[in-house]
Amino acid sequence: MQQDEAGSVAIVGAGMVGVCCALELQQRGLKVQLFDRKAPGQETSYGNAGVMARSSLIPFNNPGLWAGLPRFMSNRTAQFRYNPLYLLREMKWGLGFLSRARTSAFNETALALDALIRLSIPEHRRLMQAAGASHRLREDGWIFLYRSAQAFAKSRLARDVFDHFEVATQELDQSALRDLEPHLRPIFQRALWIKDACSVDDPGQVVEAYARLFEARGGVLVRREIAAVQRDTQGLWQLRGLDGSATPAHKVVIALGPWANDLLAPLGLAAPLAFERGYHQNFVATPGANLGRPIYDTAGGYVLAPMEAGLRLSTGVELTTRDAPANLAQLKMTEVAAREAFPLGARSGTEWLGCRPTLPDSRPLIGEAPRHPGLWLAIGHQHIGFSTGPGTAQILANLMVGENCSIDPRPFRPERFIA
């Protein structure tokens, strides 16, 4: 084996997770190539609300899910829609997801996600500084909005969890909310300001800035769709492109998000991923009406975030097949609710649809694949891949080079779901 091959790593997937893995491994002195069929940050990482928050330690399958389950299963809410046939086909995943909403499993997940988020956010600040993207960062948190005092009271579980993990928050009455966001319409009785949060004004541009930093430091970015990864008789991994090309590498990192199983299934390594799809629509800001930070309307089921291009309205979850045709019903529902809350202007651009790959315990897989030395996984980040890319990269790099991790990597081990 040649020396350059022995130290080479090929990363498949140039979203936030893949780009961060490339930067981290490059920093460890490894020769890194980054592959994607599109430019960096143009898939799932492009369309999120740009929020990086410690409040994201609470996944969708938490103990509070049980009270809302009958309403969610009605398939009429803006927060959650589903394809019944898909849910029936993925019944094992669904039961596993629900079983992790019990308190003991939730506590384990919340502890792990909190550690991953706390590891990631300072790294984001460092990377943005190095990549010349700090101007995109806002450090003023985000706000959970409640349309009634009763709805706020029902959020007690989440507030208790935030208090337990020492997430900085501030409860707001109508007057305090008006002082903070004066252009919101007065339909919200209470609010919770999550101060332990930051956001960016263009998630896709942040990923692109990180990718430019990777290239400036000598990394190689390849626009190529990889059709298969295979190990040859000499022990090298071969990345087979749709164009017939073959690229050798000593180690491979799969960071393909919802497309990961396309490469893993032929190796007998398919992960139990479901697809929590989500939509967004950009809007022109109405003259004189500004939003200082992202807001989450808990009743309306949307996040509205100020972006460089205007205001981005992001929906909740649509559980269906990855490649199913777009169903804009959820986006239309959230637009109605958002216009009740804020004076939105005209729509800008086209609707966007992306997939958030989610494992039954809402924790990503980070580590070496079982039975396949040299094949590494960084997949399954559900709604927080943009937030936790740098922390994921640090864990993976530490494991790959045999160094101690600053947080416990065991909650993310691939063996949880891959025998």
Side-chain angles (χ1 to χ4, degrees):
M1 186 182 299
Q2 297 178 1
Q3 183 60 37
D4 62 342
E5 291 173 346
S8 67
V9 181
I11 298 173
V12 189
M16 178 57 83
V17 172
V19 171
C20 287
C21 287
L23 282 165
E24 188 69 31
L25 291 169
Q26 182 185 58
Q27 186 173 306
R28 308 300 178 97
L30 297 173
K31 179 183 176 182
V32 182
Q33 292 187 82
L34 180 61
F35 293 81
D36 203 301
R37 63 184 180 180
K38 293 187 177 181
Q42 294 303 301
E43 297 281 10
T44 309
S45 295
Y46 171 83
N48 61 82
V51 177
M52 301 179 288
R54 288 194 58 213
S55 54
S56 298
L57 64 93
I58 300 181
F60 191 70
N61 55 340
N62 64 77
L65 174 63
W66 300 109
L69 197 58
R71 185 169 64 90
F72 292 144
M73 295 309 293
S74 73
N75 214 12
R76 296 192 181 99
T77 70
Q79 292 92 337
F80 179 71
R81 304 296 288 267
Y82 65 94
N83 177 339
L85 292 178
Y86 175 76
L87 200 57
L88 185 64
R89 193 179 76 194
E90 298 295 333
M91 184 64 70
K92 183 178 179 181
W93 181 91
L95 292 174
F97 188 80
L98 288 175
S99 73
R100 268 76 172 197
R102 67 187 190 280
T103 299
S104 59
F106 164 74
N107 289 341
E108 183 179 359
T109 292
L111 185 66
L113 294 184
D114 181 57
L116 184 60
I117 294 165
R118 285 189 289 115
L119 180 63
S120 298
I121 293 179
E123 284 297 296
H124 266 301
R125 294 189 181 100
R126 182 183 65 80
L127 286 172
M128 284 190 201
Q129 180 70 31
S134 294
H135 63 286
R136 298 197 176 280
L137 184 65
R138 288 184 300 257
E139 296 274 11
D140 46 10
W142 70 322
I143 302 177
F144 290 13
L145 301 171
Y146 302 89
R147 297 194 179 205
S148 69
Q150 293 83 358
F152 181 76
K154 290 179 180 178
S155 72
R156 181 77 262 175
L157 171 67
R159 286 180 283 129
D160 286 345
V161 172
F162 296 156
D163 289 345
H164 176 77
F165 284 94
E166 298 182 336
V167 178
T169 65
Q170 181 179 334
E171 297 180 12
L172 307 173
D173 59 17
Q174 282 188 308
S175 175
L177 176 60
R178 184 169 59 251
D179 290 342
L180 205 59
E181 293 290 353
H183 298 119
L184 281 176
R185 294 197 169 111
I187 64 172
F188 300 104
Q189 299 299 311
R190 300 293 299 275
L192 187 69
W193 181 13
I194 311 294
K195 294 184 173 182
D196 262 348
C198 52
S199 58
V200 299
D201 68 1
D202 192 318
Q205 286 294 322
V206 172
V207 180
E208 286 191 32
Y210 289 4
R212 287 194 297 271
L213 178 63
F214 167 69
E215 289 188 286
R217 291 175 172 176
V220 177
L221 179 62
V222 182
R223 284 284 298 274
R224 183 182 302 153
E225 184 167 1
I226 301 301
V229 292
Q230 301 163 335
R231 194 152 198 176
D232 66 21
T233 56
Q234 295 180 325
L236 276 177
W237 286 97
Q238 299 287 341
L239 282 71
R240 307 286 180 183
L242 283 180
D243 57 4
S245 62
T247 303
H250 182 60
K251 296 176 181 178
V252 175
V253 178
I254 304 299
L256 266 180
W259 299 276
N261 280 339
D262 292 353
L263 298 185
L264 295 177
L267 301 172
L269 295 171
L273 294 172
F275 306 110
E276 297 187 42
R277 305 202 317 174
Y279 299 81
H280 88 225
Q281 173 70 61
N282 291 328
F283 292 85
V284 175
T286 299
N290 300 310
L291 198 60
R293 55 190 58 75
I295 57 169
Y296 168 41
D297 182 348
T298 58
Y302 64 85
V303 173
L304 189 64
M307 295 283 174
E308 183 179 57
L311 294 166
R312 175 173 292 180
L313 177 69
S314 303
T315 71
V317 169
E318 180 193 32
L319 198 61
T320 187
T321 56
R322 185 188 66 192
D323 300 321
N327 180 351
L328 299 180
Q330 198 173 21
L331 187 59
K332 292 175 180 177
M333 289 177 68
T334 55
E335 181 179 345
V336 170
R339 289 190 180 280
E340 294 171 351
F342 190 83
L344 290 177
R347 296 176 187 170
S348 174
T350 58
E351 305 92 353
W352 179 87
L353 166 62
C355 288
R356 296 165 291 208
T358 303
L359 290 148
D361 62 3
S362 295
R363 284 179 252 148
L365 302 182
I366 309 172
E368 194 169 23
R371 301 177 282 106
H372 290 73
L375 184 66
W376 294 77
L377 308 181
I379 59 173
H381 289 75
Q382 38 107 357
H383 298 251
I384 60 172
F386 185 83
S387 299
T388 58
T392 296
Q394 194 174 119
I395 293 170
L396 184 135
N398 285 339
L399 293 171
M400 187 179 288
V401 302
E403 295 178 354
N404 291 330
C405 298
S406 57
I407 68 171
D408 185 359
R410 290 173 297 177
F412 310 108
R413 63 195 185 281
E415 290 84 356
R416 299 181 347 257
F417 296 111
I418 301 175

